[in-house]
Amino acid sequence: MERTERTDGELFPRERTVVAPGAVHVPDWLAERRQHELLAACRAWARPPAGLRTVRTPGGGVMTARQVCLGLHWYPYGYARTAVDGDGTPVKPMPHWLAELGREAVAAAYGAPPEPGGGDYDIALINFYDGDSRMGMHRDAEEKSPAPVVSLSLGDSCLFRFGNTASRGRPYRDVELRSGDLFVFGGPSRQAYHGVPKILPGTGPRALGLTGRLNITLRVGGLG
Ligand SMILES: O=C(O)CCC(=O)C(=O)O
């Protein structure tokens, strides 16, 4: 059966939603051209050295989403300047334009620029999900800065679960994140548990030419 673009089937545009205090979903924030540019950049970053890798947790688990980092290399559970759990080479630099996109995203989500002195977005984690990938409920806790986390989605839609700061369990809210969507979580939600219980294969914009989903989170490390 022919696939129809999801947005064509909607009578009303999706609206900016405050999912929890400090956690804001801005649908369709990235213009089509921007999504193409970001995808091209992700493809280049995913190449070796310090390219896309499979992440293994100390308990013997394997993350089903594969990952590449910019600025600083995240591993379970810390940051390094080299791909310590990959090929050991230096992490690729965080481009200035991507850091700037992070600032713009915060302004778009909160209607105000980031707090002065909050620091620059100096870390990006890029996760690639195929149709069977998931991400368990976790907190982004290795950064020292309280600056909001900026999340950008490309390709297939997913179910994004945004929870509370106390536990991995309820209460949480499930939000569908689609290609081009922005999600920002800071303030009282900065340490909220969140995860991706499901990818919706075949739902990405056909013109983008991506099978699967890419998520880019921008963070301020505050790590000196
Ligand atoms: O893929 C997503 O939307 C979430 C990614 C995430 O939780 C993370 O990078 O810590």
Side-chain angles (χ1 to χ4, degrees):
M1 198 167 69
E2 266 299 288
R3 186 179 62 160
T4 52
E5 297 292 344
R6 297 185 66 93
T7 44
D8 292 347
E10 270 167 9
L11 185 55
F12 301 109
R14 295 173 302 145
E15 286 180 2
R16 175 186 176 276
T17 307
V18 178
V19 172
V24 184
H25 176 209
V26 188
D28 303 314
W29 186 66
L30 291 167
E32 225 176 282
R33 189 179 52 83
R34 228 356 173 185
Q35 292 182 49
H36 281 268
E37 287 167 358
L38 265 176
L39 173 59
C42 288
R43 286 187 165 133
W45 295 324
R47 294 202 174 91
L52 200 68
R53 79 196 193 289
T54 299
V55 181
R56 288 165 211 282
T57 59
V62 174
M63 282 173 57
T64 52
R66 285 177 296 152
Q67 188 183 84
V68 58
C69 306
L70 305 175
L72 281 176
H73 178 88
W74 180 84
Y75 64 94
Y77 296 94
Y79 279 105
R81 298 203 175 274
T82 56
V84 282
D85 60 350
D87 63 9
T89 58
V91 65
K92 292 183 175 85
M94 176 79 174
H96 180 73
W97 63 264
L98 192 56
E100 196 46 44
L101 193 64
R103 290 179 65 82
E104 286 170 24
V106 172
Y110 295 154
E115 299 275 310
D120 286 334
Y121 284 88
D122 56 354
I123 299 170
L125 268 59
I126 298 141
N127 289 301
F128 175 70
Y129 299 78
D130 64 23
D132 297 322
S133 303
R134 313 262 179 278
M135 192 174 284
M137 294 295 276
H138 66 281
R139 293 191 292 191
D140 296 349
E142 281 72 54
E143 302 80 25
K144 291 219 167 15
S145 165
V149 173
V150 169
S151 154
L152 302 166
S153 293
L154 295 176
D156 284 341
S157 305
C158 79
L159 209 64
F160 179 67
R161 181 159 292 169
F162 196 77
N164 61 84
T165 53
S167 82
R168 291 181 166 80
R170 291 178 189 276
Y172 52 68
R173 274 181 71 176
D174 285 344
V175 180
E176 189 179 311
L177 293 184
R178 298 185 192 168
S179 196
D181 284 7
L182 163 68
F183 197 98
V184 174
F185 53 101
S189 286
R190 175 61 181 79
Q191 291 297 328
Y193 283 92
H194 57 280
V196 178
K198 194 173 179 179
I199 299 293
L200 307 170
T203 50
R206 200 183 305 214
L208 190 61
L210 173 65
T211 304
R213 171 175 186 261
L214 279 167
N215 175 262
I216 304 158
T217 58
L218 309 178
R219 302 150 187 231
V220 180
L223 297 163

